Amino acid sequence: MTTTFGYHPSQDRVWMRVHEQDITIWLTRRMVRNIVGPMLRVFEASTPGQQGGAAPRARASIEHHLSLHEVAPGQKPAQIRAGHEQPSEESDPQERLCTQITTQATAQTVTLNFETSAGPLSLRLSRQGMHLWYRGLAMVIKQAQWDLSEAMPEWLQAGMTPPAVQALIDKPLPPEPEEPPPGR
């Protein structure tokens, strides 16, 4: 399932386009706060590995890192791309305004059900797909400058660069060698 997120400044809403179904859903700031607040906590709680004793947020953080950076044999790497796409012309912000979201999360899948006056939309994602979905949403929240950071866990706000590469980027450059004075 391919989704694209964007922000519409004059509507002050986030839009989500589900390409396979050719549907765009509009989300208010309050609805997005619910997605990154209570819904995200349900997602964290359903993260596998509780027998290891780690807290749900710690397990979700590890799963998130693996979802973004690890590739299973025979699988394609995860992709999150930025673009300049706009919602389709026939996407009415009032008709497709999301009024309710319900979710069911298991150790393998997550189903999101969006209610609008034009009818429901259901997304069924793998856990990795859900991590990518949340990451895309987090990126557009940052673009919208909604400052929902208090509702989002640190693992969702972290950069996407793998830690080893980020360490190289953050490493200070050695000082420039001093040039000998002219005439030597």
Side-chain angles (χ1 to χ4, degrees), residues 132-149:
L132 294 171
W133 189 90
Y134 268 126
R135 183 63 188 155
L137 180 61
M139 290 169 67
V140 83
I141 289 169
K142 186 175 182 178
Q143 176 192 9
Q145 299 177 347
W146 280 358
D147 191 26
L148 301 178
S149 55

Side-chain angles (χ1 to χ4, degrees), residues 99-129:
T99 56
Q100 182 179 6
I101 302 174
T102 57
T103 184
Q104 294 88 33
T106 70
Q108 288 82 32
T109 62
V110 177
T111 302
L112 299 170
N113 297 300
F114 299 88
E115 295 294 329
T116 72
S117 60
L121 170 70
S122 184
L123 291 179
R124 184 177 167 97
L125 302 168
S126 67
R127 292 211 42 107
Q128 179 187 27

Side-chain angles (χ1 to χ4, degrees), residues 54-104:
R57 183 154 287 178
R59 294 190 320 266
S61 177
I62 292 167
E63 184 182 60
H64 187 71
H65 175 79
L66 293 173
S67 293
L68 296 180
H69 302 295
E70 300 291 323
V71 180
Q75 298 288 319
K76 293 183 201 174
Q79 292 186 356
I80 296 179
R81 290 176 278 190
H84 299 285
E85 191 172 319
Q86 295 297 317
S88 64
E89 293 297 320
E90 53 281 345
S91 175
D92 182 346
Q94 298 307 330
E95 185 177 294
R96 283 293 183 176
L97 180 64
C98 181
T99 56
Q100 182 179 6
I101 302 174
T102 57
T103 184
Q104 294 88 33

